[in-house]
Amino acid sequence: MAEIGLRLAGLSRLLCSLLIPAVFLSGILCVCLVILLGGIRLWVQQRKKQGTSAGRDGKRPLVVAFFHPYCNAGGGGERVLWCAIRTLQKRYRNVTCVVYTGDRDATGEEIVEGAFRRFNIKLTHPVKFVFLEKRYLVEASLYPHFTLLGQSLGSVFLGWEALLKFVPDIYIDSMGYAFTLPLFKYLGGCRVGCYVHYPTISTDMLSVVWNQDTRFNNAAFITNNSLFSKFKLVYYYFFAFLYGLVGSCSDVVMVNSSWTLNHILSLWRAGACTSVVYPPCDVQTFLDLPLEEDKSTTEYSIVSISQFRPEKDHPLQIRAFAKLLKEKRLGQQLSLKLILIGGCRNPQDEERVKNLKGLCEELGVSNDVTFRINISFEELKRHLANATIGLHTMWNEHFGIGVVECMAAGTVILAHNSGGPKFDIVVPYEGHTTGFLADSEDSYAEAMVSILSLPPEKRLEIRENARRSVHRFSDQNFEETFLLSVEPLLK
């Protein structure tokens, strides 16, 4: 026993002799890291002073930069970007807006023209574009595995490129790259804010892995293996921890719905600086479309508006529509058309459209389904004006601008029974029905049968209720709430 005690004592002395140098070395490394980061910050600030100049009145303008690598796309996130810029330009004369973008295949003028063509948004002053070369680092295709972590780390490198090219006074991440926030705050010395369309990870995503449910982001080979599922769950919890750390760096947090708010509050724990800012929907333009009873009882069109991304679940739309046609519960003489309208951002989206067309052929509905890609705003209005049903199928859609546009245009909306559509949009208005919700192939097909079987006057009543309910999502409401939220950044 005495010998064992001596050995333990010797081992303890050895560990202590190693611990002291280790602590000392760690301290030196931490000091070196702080000095390095401080030096980088000073260097970046020096570049900032060299890169800015005074305006015509002799005063230096306040520069607000938006990080939006895909600003030339045609989705709801881009509409938020351009409305935010227009709002700042209208309210503040001394503000210069900058956009970090990876759309190097277009000029600044073409991007601004595209915003006007797609969204009917005209800016009052010029915008400076900083074109980034490393956007491929945030492409999901680059990371077949550990996609969330890969894209997030890629965004740090892309953000570093953006910071080296231009240092703003205020930095706003408007596309969901939260890992860039500490970069601009601590190295760039910027006041930082963000507009969160969709949390990169959510408690719902953790639940999907925990319950071993197969989804577009949870492959079958993982759900069928308990070991893989547990490993992915650990990975998700680790990523959620990192996501909470970087998100808490933001001085101002804007979210687009109550669903997003609940998830961000649970992950970032930044309730004091977080507020709901509903995204701007051009409801007035759609409200100007005439609203009449359906003149035809034999021809109906069903319209979907969303970018061709996997989470939008276009296959569910096509399968539900094919089921509707196959069962023929509406009679042989009824003519139905499904029109899929959306934007393609990259070759992956284009390949996805090709696969969707293949699915149409497989189900025998190619002649009944039309794809309209990157169309103009005027064409979008024409399709919505003639549509009977507006279709939406994304599970846990953060908000759903397309849903609001369909309701404002006078279609009877059929949306997914989750997320923003369930909690914020397709809700009773003054006690009256504003639309329908579904969550499976069968329930979508049944809901479409129910809508098309309604008397024209009943459909008109629902459409009128929906129209009255969408004023809370107008451009004017967005401008007011956006300015209130970003005011702390501009002081």
Side-chain angles (χ1 to χ4, degrees), residues 143-159:
Y143 312 99
H145 305 293
F146 301 100
T147 309
L148 293 181
L149 185 60
Q151 286 184 290
S152 297
L153 293 178
S155 71
V156 174
F157 288 99
L158 186 63

Side-chain angles (χ1 to χ4, degrees), residues 75-92:
E78 287 66 57
R79 191 169 209 288
V80 170
L81 169 69
W82 299 117
C83 278
I85 291 175
R86 182 180 64 183
T87 301
L88 290 176
Q89 289 182 342
K90 287 166 60 176
R91 175 65 178 82
Y92 297 99

Side-chain angles (χ1 to χ4, degrees), residues 313-476:
D313 206 353
H314 290 90
L316 175 57
Q317 299 180 5
I318 295 171
R319 293 184 187 280
F321 180 70
K323 191 177 188 69
L324 174 68
L325 295 182
K326 184 178 180 180
E327 295 186 357
K328 297 180 179 178
R329 285 184 283 173
L330 293 166
Q332 299 284 348
Q333 303 301 318
L334 197 64
S335 174
L336 295 175
K337 197 80 173 178
L338 175 61
I339 304 173
L340 303 181
I341 301 173
C344 281
R345 306 163 298 168
N346 49 42
Q348 288 74 31
D349 287 354
E350 293 169 2
E351 180 66 22
R352 202 165 288 117
V353 171
K354 182 180 178 182
N355 293 336
L356 290 172
K357 291 179 178 179
L359 178 62
C360 291
E361 293 179 4
E362 177 186 328
L363 297 176
V365 295
S366 294
N367 294 331
D368 304 299
V369 180
T370 301
F371 290 81
R372 301 299 301 145
I373 302 168
N374 296 333
I375 64 174
S376 68
F377 188 73
E378 290 302 316
E379 184 178 349
L380 171 65
K381 288 198 298 182
R382 287 198 299 272
H383 284 297
L384 286 176
N386 296 323
T388 300
I389 297 175
L391 190 60
H392 164 275
T393 50
M394 179 177 169
W395 172 71
N396 272 343
E397 171 83 88
H398 38 87
F399 178 71
I401 288 182
V403 174
V404 174
E405 291 176 342
C406 285
M407 293 169 69
T411 71
V412 178
I413 191 65
L414 173 56
H416 200 281
N417 189 24
S418 64
K422 177 181 180 179
F423 296 108
D424 292 300
I425 305 174
V426 190
V427 294
Y429 180 73
E430 296 181 351
H432 300 292
T433 300
T434 58
F436 297 82
L437 299 168
D439 56 12
S440 67
E441 185 179 316
D442 288 336
S443 60
Y444 270 100
E446 291 170 4
M448 284 188 274
V449 169
S450 299
I451 294 169
L452 296 172
S453 300
L454 289 172
E457 59 272 16
K458 181 59 179 178
R459 279 201 298 270
L460 180 61
E461 179 185 328
I462 294 173
R463 294 158 65 197
E464 289 174 340
N465 293 336
R467 275 196 158 185
R468 286 193 292 269
S469 74
V470 299
H471 287 285
R472 58 208 165 101
F473 307 123
S474 65
D475 284 1
Q476 181 179 354

Side-chain angles (χ1 to χ4, degrees), residues 249-271:
C249 295
S250 190
D251 300 310
V252 166
V253 181
M254 294 168 280
V255 298
N256 63 350
S257 68
S258 57
W259 180 87
T260 306
L261 174 68
N262 292 332
H263 286 284
I264 288 298
L265 289 179
S266 67
L267 291 165
W268 291 9
R269 304 187 185 280

